[in-house]
């Protein structure tokens, strides 16, 4: 499989001639869709079908960020705004069995829509811990303030989506919960000790068997005082891979976010060198896509192997 180690985004509801040429020539690993790309069910099915035809790949990875609540990209097709992760976590706290039963039914319904639309990866669940003094960027996107509930619910979410042949992306590993600023605009700095983080934030991600995970653009001062997670060889190797035990494909969070210090090309290069298997770009600007793909190498043997496992899962 010859693919560039990047997940790119597109500008609108149909592919431009430039974008068609880019897919044919550069062969990015996958594409992520946003509300700007979605007008109707018919339009979206046509778009995903065209992308797969251009790539000559019926299983081509097409991602969407459909968490529910504040983060829903399918608003022009279905209303998923009331179903944030806290909604399900609160039911689970009252009655575990009922909470999981309702959540399973919800995921079955979302999965049916995703499959019908030609989408095979959802960038969910959010396994960040809800914390009172943190910035509201996570808030009700989290299941709970209890790391055990977050971990259990995360595992259930992954299982329910897998049963529906939809892959998941756990995020934002190793934990965005303590962030005091929004990483879309500024780099959050966390000063807690490793022991405390392991008992709480990192515990939420422990032993979750998702095909994919997404990094947090956060600086953990006591672990790596120089590089944020996405650019940190130390955190990716020692925390994400060893202590948390994540064995799947690691995707950077969006490299166009302002938490990162450098230009698009350098952010991409540093993320890949640190250990991100795939680079994620969400802004949909063609001139930036070109810079990223120019900088990004083809996928390595590990990513090829894990992609094959993902494709086999979709069969």
């Amino acid at each position: 499989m010859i693919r560039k180690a990047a997940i790119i985004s597109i500008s609108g509801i149909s592919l431009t001639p430039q974008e068609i040429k880019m897919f044919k020539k550069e062969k990015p690993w996958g594409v992520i869709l946003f509300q700007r790309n979605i007008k109707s069910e018919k339009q979206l099915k046509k778009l995903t079908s065209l992308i797969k035809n251009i790539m000559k790949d019926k299983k081509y990875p097409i991602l969407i960020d459909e968490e529910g609540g504040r983060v829903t990209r399918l608003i022009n097709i279905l209303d998923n705004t009331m179903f944030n992760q806290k909604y399900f976590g609160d039911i689970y706290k009252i009655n575990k069995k009922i909470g999981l039963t309702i959540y399973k039914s919800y995921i079955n319904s979302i999965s049916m829509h995703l499959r019908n639309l030609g989408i095979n990866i959802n960038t969910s669940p959010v396994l960040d811990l809800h914390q009172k003094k943190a910035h509201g960027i996570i808030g009700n996107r989290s299941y709970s303030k209890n790391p055990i509930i977050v971990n259990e619910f995360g595992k259930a979410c992954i299982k329910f989506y897998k049963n529906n042949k939809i892959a998941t992306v756990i995020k934002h590993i190793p934990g965005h919960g303590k962030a005091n600023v929004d990483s879309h605009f500024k780099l959050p700095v966390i000063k807690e000790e490793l022991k405390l983080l392991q008992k709480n934030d990192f515990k939420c991600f422990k032993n979750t068997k998702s095909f994919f995970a997404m990094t947090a653009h956060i600086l953990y001062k006591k672990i790596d005082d120089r590089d944020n997670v996405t650019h940190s060889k130390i955190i990716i190797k020692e925390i994400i891979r060893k202590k948390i035990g994540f064995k799947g494909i690691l995707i950077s969070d969006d490299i166009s976010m302002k938490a990162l210090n450098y230009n698009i090309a350098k952010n991409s290069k540093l993320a890949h060198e640190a250990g991100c298997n795939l680079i994620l770009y969400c802004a949909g600007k063609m001139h930036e896509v070109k810079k990223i793909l120019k900088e990004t190498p083809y996928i390595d043997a590990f990513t090829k192997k894990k992609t094959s496992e993902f494709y086999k899962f979709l069969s």
Side-chain angles (χ1 to χ4, degrees):
M1 177 181 284
I2 300 172
R3 295 275 171 84
K4 283 286 182 82
I7 298 167
I8 58 90
S9 53
I10 57 176
S11 57
I13 59 172
S14 59
L15 295 180
T16 65
Q18 271 190 314
E19 288 168 344
I20 291 171
K21 185 178 178 182
M22 176 272 298
F23 275 108
K24 287 179 177 178
K25 183 182 177 184
E26 299 291 350
K27 297 184 170 24
W29 184 91
V31 61
I32 186 166
L33 302 176
F34 291 90
Q35 190 178 338
R36 66 175 182 268
N37 309 125
I38 301 166
K39 182 180 179 182
S40 67
E41 182 179 340
K42 183 180 179 181
Q43 167 268 327
L44 184 52
K45 287 172 77 171
K46 185 178 177 181
L47 176 61
T48 57
S49 179
L50 176 60
I51 292 169
K52 289 174 183 178
N53 286 338
I54 290 169
M55 295 301 295
K56 298 177 182 177
D57 183 356
K58 291 179 181 178
K59 298 177 183 178
Y60 186 69
I62 298 182
L63 298 81
I64 198 164
D65 202 1
E66 191 60 31
E67 296 174 14
R70 285 179 286 146
V71 183
T72 173
R73 313 305 184 190
L74 295 173
I75 193 67
N76 293 332
I77 298 174
L78 61 92
D79 187 356
N80 191 20
T81 53
M82 72 171 285
F83 298 109
N84 56 59
Q85 291 192 179
K86 184 179 181 294
Y87 173 89
F88 296 106
D90 287 348
I91 299 170
Y92 183 89
K93 273 195 298 186
I94 297 165
N95 188 305
K96 184 174 179 178
K97 187 175 180 181
I98 291 174
L100 287 175
T101 300
I102 293 171
Y103 195 43
K104 182 178 181 180
S105 178
Y106 164 78
I107 288 178
N108 288 347
S109 175
I110 294 295
S111 298
M112 179 186 70
H113 286 287
L114 296 181
R115 287 197 312 273
N116 178 53
L117 295 166
I119 296 161
N120 47 29
I121 303 172
N122 192 9
T123 63
S124 179
V126 174
L127 298 186
D128 302 314
L129 195 62
H130 180 56
Q131 304 193 45
K132 278 185 178 178
K133 294 180 181 179
H135 188 277
I137 187 62
I138 297 300
N140 61 13
R141 294 168 68 194
S142 172
Y143 292 115
S144 176
K145 298 171 186 174
N146 185 332
I148 295 171
I149 291 177
V150 174
N151 185 260
E152 288 179 357
F153 233 112
K155 287 175 181 175
C157 179
I158 293 162
K159 179 184 175 183
F160 296 154
Y161 272 117
K162 276 186 177 179
N163 290 344
N164 284 281
K165 298 292 183 182
I166 300 290
T168 52
V169 183
I170 55 173
K171 61 187 186 186
H172 305 82
I173 200 166
H176 203 293
K178 281 189 169 62
N180 54 2
V181 294
D182 182 353
S183 57
H184 288 87
F185 305 105
K186 192 174 180 181
L187 178 66
V189 178
I190 307 297
K191 297 178 181 178
E192 271 77 2
E193 298 287 345
L194 176 59
K195 279 188 178 181
L196 185 64
L197 290 165
Q198 282 184 290
K199 287 180 181 178
N200 294 285
D201 297 66
F202 299 175
K203 189 174 184 177
C204 298
F205 293 86
K206 190 84 171 168
N207 299 322
T208 44
K209 296 179 181 178
S210 175
F211 279 104
F212 309 99
M214 185 185 294
T215 61
H217 293 333
I218 287 182
L219 183 73
Y220 284 99
K221 200 82 173 168
K222 297 288 177 70
I223 306 172
D224 184 340
D225 63 0
R226 190 187 69 170
D227 293 317
N228 76 85
V229 173
T230 304
H231 290 162
S232 173
K233 293 179 183 179
I234 295 168
I235 293 176
I236 289 176
K237 183 180 178 181
E238 299 300 327
I239 305 298
I240 295 174
R241 292 302 190 185
K242 289 186 179 178
K243 291 191 183 299
I244 289 174
F246 178 67
K247 294 179 170 59
I249 291 176
L250 187 64
I251 304 169
S252 77
D253 201 349
D254 178 15
I255 57 165
S256 65
M257 287 162 66
K258 290 183 171 64
L260 303 185
N261 291 333
Y262 309 104
N263 60 41
I264 286 289
K266 190 167 182 181
N267 283 337
S268 176
K269 184 173 185 284
L270 291 174
H272 190 266
E273 287 176 352
C276 291
N277 306 116
L278 298 172
I279 306 307
L280 177 68
Y281 171 73
C282 299
K285 297 174 182 177
M286 197 61 218
H287 67 283
E288 292 186 334
V289 171
K290 285 180 179 178
K291 288 177 183 177
I292 292 160
L293 292 173
K294 184 180 179 181
E295 189 61 57
T296 305
Y298 290 102
I299 60 173
D300 58 16
F302 171 85
T303 310
K304 282 182 185 178
K305 180 186 174 185
K306 292 295 177 180
T307 303
S308 295
E309 290 174 9
F310 163 61
Y311 272 41
K312 188 175 180 182
F313 154 76
L314 292 176
S315 300

